[in-house]
Amino acid sequence: MTSPENASDLPESGPEAARRRTGGRSARVRSQVVEAVGTLLVESGYDALTVDAVAERAGVHRTTVYRRWRDVGGLLADVLDAAADDGWRPADTGSLEDDLTALNQEVYEALRPGGADAADGSGSGSGGNLTTALITASFRSAQAAGALTRFWEGRYARSAQVSDRAVERGELRPGVDARALLVTATAPLYQELLLLRSAPDPELPRRAARAACAAARAGVFH
């Protein structure tokens, strides 16, 4: 029996504790909860997302969710942290333009209606978009915003090898600002698909990559 006199024996809670419990039943519960959060967020939006609703959809006891995630902010943060905790690396196609196009294609698939989602990598085909829903939710929750920042920082850090490889191949001069290059390449997709809600354009990933590549070769990011 847990003794309140010994704080180290008390059950840990919050997304940090959830990430530390990685095996067996704990991992299954986390997977069920993360999936439930994403499904509910896409289906009903942030305002309908509650701990009780997540527990019911995940098929776990509400006290388990309260103990480990505490609130909606903790749930959203863990969904994003789970998405970041993967082995993703940018494709190595052999050229800077093709590397940036491949990167943009992933962003395009994640942002277009019914496209692949950042958290699970699969398209539902239902028109729902978990990536967009999570970005929107980050404006309502400080915990989600922090987790989203960690997610982007991790992705940009891993993607820096795109410019490193271009330098090694002799496509770019040393000293390129990888972050500026990557932001320039990907920004048009967020502008068109997320902010302007433009109709999906299959040529957009290549077009934006080509423009960023031309700017990089002209020395804009040095």
Side-chain angles (χ1 to χ4, degrees), residues 91-111:
D92 185 355
T93 67
S95 76
L96 176 60
E97 183 177 321
D98 287 345
D99 280 0
L100 291 175
T101 299
L103 187 64
N104 279 356
Q105 191 64 43
E106 292 189 37
V107 175
Y108 178 82
E109 292 298 331
L111 292 178

Side-chain angles (χ1 to χ4, degrees), residues 121-215:
S122 63
S124 64
S126 64
N129 188 306
L130 178 57
T131 303
T132 300
L134 286 167
I135 292 172
T136 301
S138 72
F139 288 94
R140 305 283 298 279
S141 164
Q143 285 177 277
L148 186 61
T149 296
R150 291 193 297 272
F151 178 86
W152 294 134
E153 291 291 348
R155 284 301 194 255
Y156 279 118
R158 296 186 206 183
S159 297
Q161 59 188 278
V162 169
S163 63
D164 293 341
R165 292 194 298 247
V167 171
E168 292 171 1
R169 289 190 295 258
E171 294 182 89
L172 298 178
R173 292 185 289 108
V176 64
D177 185 336
R179 176 71 166 264
L181 169 59
L182 293 165
V183 169
T184 299
T186 58
L189 284 85
Y190 292 97
Q191 178 73 22
E192 294 290 342
L193 297 173
L194 188 62
L195 299 181
L196 297 178
R197 299 181 182 274
S198 302
D201 176 3
E203 298 302 316
L204 179 59
R206 170 70 66 178
R207 189 165 61 249
R210 185 177 295 125
C213 188

Side-chain angles (χ1 to χ4, degrees), residues 74-91:
L75 287 164
L76 289 168
D78 201 35
V79 169
L80 287 159
D81 287 334
D85 188 19
D86 61 10
W88 180 87
R89 289 292 184 274

